[in-house]
Amino acid sequence: MKIFEIVLVIACALFVIGVITASIIRKKQGKSSCDCGGDCSHCKACMYAKTNKRQ
């Protein structure tokens, strides 16, 4: 049973590292790190809302 627990912990750690890596890559590409799927033009938290209103 200990081997199963070790494998589970490693799998969870790899998942977290993958999510963090994907977030860093998206930020470097200039994309939003939030994938809320909402309407950004009305979102106060979205940094792209101001640029979309100017256009």
Side-chain angles (χ1 to χ4, degrees), residues 2-28:
K2 279 196 172 212
I3 293 176
F4 176 72
E5 292 171 354
I6 293 171
V7 170
L8 184 63
V9 168
I10 292 172
C12 291
L14 289 174
F15 179 77
V16 170
I17 290 170
V19 170
I20 291 170
T21 303
S23 174
I24 290 170
I25 290 171
R26 286 182 60 84
K27 282 191 182 232
K28 285 188 176 185

Side-chain angles (χ1 to χ4, degrees), residues 8-9 12-14 26 31 34 36 40-41 43 50-51 55:
L8 184 63
V9 168
C12 291
L14 289 174
R26 286 182 60 84
K31 297 180 182 176
C34 176
C36 63
C40 288
S41 62
C43 181
K50 293 179 183 177
T51 59
Q55 295 176 352

Side-chain angles (χ1 to χ4, degrees), residues 34-53:
C34 176
D35 288 331
C36 63
D39 184 12
C40 288
S41 62
H42 299 293
C43 181
K44 292 180 182 177
C46 184
M47 66 181 192
Y48 298 108
K50 293 179 183 177
T51 59
N52 289 340
K53 285 184 180 180

